[in-house]
Amino acid sequence: MESTMETAFDVVEFLGLTFVLIFALLVVVVLILFVIDRRQTEDAIRRNYPVIGRFRHLFSELGEFFRQYFFAMDREELPFNRAQREWVGRAGEGKSNTIAFGSTRNLNVPGTPIFANDPFPPLDDEYAKSEPLLIGPTTRTPYLAPSFFNISGMSYGALSKPAIQALSHGAAQAGVWLNTGEGGVSPFHYEGGCDLVYQIGTAKFGVRNAEGGLDDAKLREIASHDSIRMFEVKMAQGAKPGKGGILPGEKVTEEIAKIRGLQVGQDGISPNRHREIDNFDHLLDFLAHIREVTGKPVGIKTVVGAELTVREFFETIARRGVDMAPDFITIDGGEGGTGAAPMPLMDLVGMPVREALPLVADLRDEFELHDRIRLIASGKLVNPGDIAWALAAGADFVTSARGFMFALGCIQALKCNKNTCPTGITTHDPRFQKGLVVDRKAPRVARYAKALVKEVEVISHSVGVSEPRKLRRRHVRLVQPNGRSVPMNEVFPRPGAM
């Protein structure tokens, strides 16, 4: 009994001493931090409120987390709200996307699209799948694109190796194309065997010569791969019009450096435009040269700034002849995303896709180029309603980047510009990459694409057409500031269309 009491006393004494030591250590740490904060001159809050002032930075960092998980309602978050992300998540997992009780969407926000249901929609046996659509009919190797929904440009460098592998395999399973982004093509893009669109950015990574210009030999070698179906010349990106790509040096590994022609750890800063292209004539010449060298469809990716500029572009095409026209135009909205961009460009520059797409579609039709130039819509389009709207507005195809990032498991941590993405999608840190298992994520990519196409077909059938490419502006109503909705073909009347 006495021995037991002595043992208990020893334990209590040990715990007491441990507590005193920990407390003393904390006091020492606080005193050290107090002195450091008082003596530093960079942060006024820490200097005036030593130690306590440090919590401001901590709470600011954690605020983003708490708003996302505890305080924001389903439809409140930006750039993508919880309802949008969860739809993609359920689709990627192959779960049902039916909901109960009622919609949480605010239908009174101006610009909200509302699809006009038909009283006599097609019966189940009257539905049809969208047919493949030809791109580049005048090229030596045209592309018959199977799907109207595809994966937008995300480069290897901005995205990790397992992310690119999962996208490649998933795209092949779903029958959609994968845009390489401006970082060149990697072995991981080819791995799944999907169709690839090779994007040529202003730095021409992968097809550049020693002076930074276009290397025809490298271009020809890339085009020799059957998987490379088209080439996209990136003129501008929605998140940063007028500025080139930005790949932070900490994400430039040895492998990425080799593909891009950089030094390990060197920032990958692309020029703000193509040096060879000073006007629209130069642009058409550049596209024609690439088309001649590769024999494959060539188009551009751009952001609309003004109607007058787009009209000038189409007037140049009309003057030079239809054979000089781009095979496709990708319209990226000013609301588009990226891994890294200056806030003023992200927030303030570039016309939103909801205004730009109808404008470009109308000009294309006005110049009678509907069957010659395919329109691809991009920019924050991730859910079925977004894609159905774009097809009705005049797009032939829609591409999404962030939708497929959500399918990979993106949690919108907003750390794409750092090397600390917690899901392994935009980081080259092996510690985080191990969380992205390609065999598990590739099927999610495929299921998301297939589920979205199916849901767009459901919308199409509900408005009275047999398949999505028959959607027209008259099938969509847009909410106005007074709360009423009007048909989109009245807001954006299309030349020669009902």
Side-chain angles (χ1 to χ4, degrees):
M1 181 69 177
E2 185 177 342
S3 175
T4 302
M5 291 181 63
E6 287 178 355
T7 301
F9 178 79
D10 290 341
V11 171
V12 172
E13 185 177 22
F14 173 77
L15 292 175
L17 288 172
T18 301
F19 174 78
V20 170
L21 287 173
I22 293 173
F23 182 78
L25 182 62
L26 286 174
V27 171
V28 171
V29 171
V30 169
L31 289 173
I32 293 172
L33 292 176
F34 183 93
V35 174
I36 292 173
D37 289 349
R38 274 295 195 192
R39 298 190 60 165
Q40 61 86 31
T41 57
E42 296 180 356
D43 190 331
I45 297 296
R46 283 171 51 205
R47 187 172 173 86
N48 291 334
Y49 301 94
V51 184
I52 296 175
R54 291 174 175 267
F55 286 95
R56 176 184 177 276
H57 177 72
L58 175 64
F59 292 149
S60 295
E61 289 290 313
L62 291 176
E64 193 175 275
F65 168 82
F66 282 106
R67 286 191 297 272
Q68 181 175 14
Y69 290 101
F70 297 105
F71 301 120
M73 300 293 287
D74 285 350
R75 300 279 185 175
E76 287 182 342
E77 288 180 86
L78 294 174
F80 293 90
N81 60 53
R82 188 181 296 115
Q84 291 174 301
R85 300 197 311 272
E86 288 187 349
W87 188 94
V88 176
R90 290 192 298 269
E93 292 170 4
K95 295 181 179 178
S96 171
N97 255 316
T98 58
I99 60 174
F101 203 76
S103 173
T104 60
R105 187 174 190 181
N106 183 356
L107 299 179
N108 295 317
V109 177
T112 298
I114 298 173
F115 293 88
N117 59 292
D118 189 277
F120 308 105
L123 296 171
D124 291 344
D125 59 358
E126 296 173 328
Y127 294 166
K129 295 285 185 182
S130 290
E131 294 293 326
L133 193 62
L134 191 69
I135 306 177
T138 65
T139 61
R140 297 194 298 273
T141 313
Y143 177 39
L144 191 62
S147 174
F148 60 76
F149 183 59
N150 300 279
I151 306 177
S152 189
M154 294 180 283
S155 67
Y156 174 50
L159 264 59
S160 66
K161 169 184 171 180
I164 295 295
Q165 290 173 308
L167 289 173
S168 177
H169 285 277
Q173 293 170 23
V176 305
W177 80 56
L178 168 62
N179 190 305
T180 65
E182 65 176 289
V185 66
S186 71
F188 317 119
H189 286 99
Y190 291 122
E191 190 175 290
C194 66
D195 290 344
L196 295 173
V197 177
Y198 191 101
Q199 187 180 88
I200 302 175
T202 55
K204 302 174 180 64
F205 292 128
V207 291
R208 63 184 290 169
N209 57 30
E211 292 74 37
L214 195 64
D215 187 314
D216 285 358
K218 292 180 179 178
L219 184 64
R220 194 174 291 108
E221 194 281 327
I222 291 291
S224 68
H225 291 265
D226 291 338
S227 295
I228 303 293
R229 308 307 300 265
M230 302 194 297
F231 289 83
E232 179 181 76
V233 176
K234 179 181 172 183
M235 301 294 292
Q237 183 177 347
K240 46 191 172 189
K243 187 170 182 62
I246 304 171
L247 184 65
E250 58 264 29
K251 299 178 75 171
V252 180
T253 64
E254 184 175 351
E255 192 168 37
I256 292 167
K258 181 179 179 181
I259 293 171
R260 296 197 179 209
L262 299 171
Q263 299 296 317
V264 175
Q266 176 187 352
D267 289 340
I269 308 297
S270 300
N272 64 319
R273 70 170 175 84
H274 291 273
R275 298 185 187 279
E276 306 92 331
I277 303 174
D278 295 318
N279 53 51
F280 288 128
D281 279 300
H282 290 169
L283 172 58
L284 295 184
D285 290 338
F286 191 70
L287 299 179
H289 176 76
I290 296 173
R291 187 160 44 227
E292 176 59 32
V293 171
T294 65
K296 295 185 176 181
V298 182
I300 65 170
K301 178 177 183 176
T302 191
V303 181
V304 175
E307 178 179 356
L308 186 63
T309 305
V310 182
R311 180 172 290 278
E312 182 185 349
F313 179 44
F314 280 103
E315 287 173 347
T316 305
I317 295 171
R319 174 169 53 81
R320 296 289 300 273
V322 68
D323 288 341
M324 295 294 288
D327 297 302
F328 63 90
I329 300 174
T330 301
I331 303 299
D332 197 11
E335 67 274 61
T338 186
M343 183 179 286
L345 297 184
M346 186 87 80
D347 288 348
L348 304 172
V349 182
M351 190 181 292
V353 71
R354 305 228 174 222
E355 181 180 2
L357 177 59
L359 186 157
V360 177
D362 289 349
L363 285 170
R364 178 189 65 169
D365 293 351
E366 180 183 331
F367 283 84
E368 300 181 350
L369 293 167
H370 184 275
D371 295 325
R372 175 68 179 84
I373 301 176
R374 302 305 184 189
L375 287 188
I376 304 171
S378 180
K380 212 175 179 182
L381 305 173
V382 303
N383 294 124
D386 302 326
I387 281 66
W389 168 87
L391 294 173
D396 299 300
F397 301 92
V398 180
T399 60
S400 177
R402 287 173 288 178
F404 285 95
M405 288 177 66
F406 291 138
L408 286 174
C410 172
I411 61 171
Q412 197 169 279
L414 306 181
K415 297 184 183 296
C416 306
N417 58 328
K418 302 175 183 178
N419 203 29
T420 57
C421 171
T423 60
I425 297 173
T426 63
T427 178
H428 300 286
D429 187 331
R431 172 194 168 198
F432 296 116
Q433 284 189 3
K434 68 181 181 182
L436 203 166
V437 180
V438 174
D439 290 342
R440 297 298 298 272
K441 299 300 184 181
R444 287 174 57 94
V445 169
R447 285 193 293 262
Y448 165 57
K450 291 177 180 179
L452 190 139
V453 168
K454 181 180 179 180
E455 295 281 308
V456 174
E457 290 172 347
V458 169
I459 294 174
S460 304
H461 303 155
S462 73
V463 303
V465 297
S466 60
E467 57 100 353
R469 283 213 176 95
K470 292 184 178 180
L471 285 167
R472 298 293 182 265
R473 294 180 190 178
R474 66 179 181 272
H475 296 129
V476 185
R477 301 179 66 86
L478 300 179
V479 176
Q480 302 302 295
N482 62 5
R484 297 186 61 185
S485 66
V486 299
M488 185 162 69
N489 60 323
E490 292 183 14
V491 180
F492 299 104
R494 195 166 185 176
M498 293 295 292

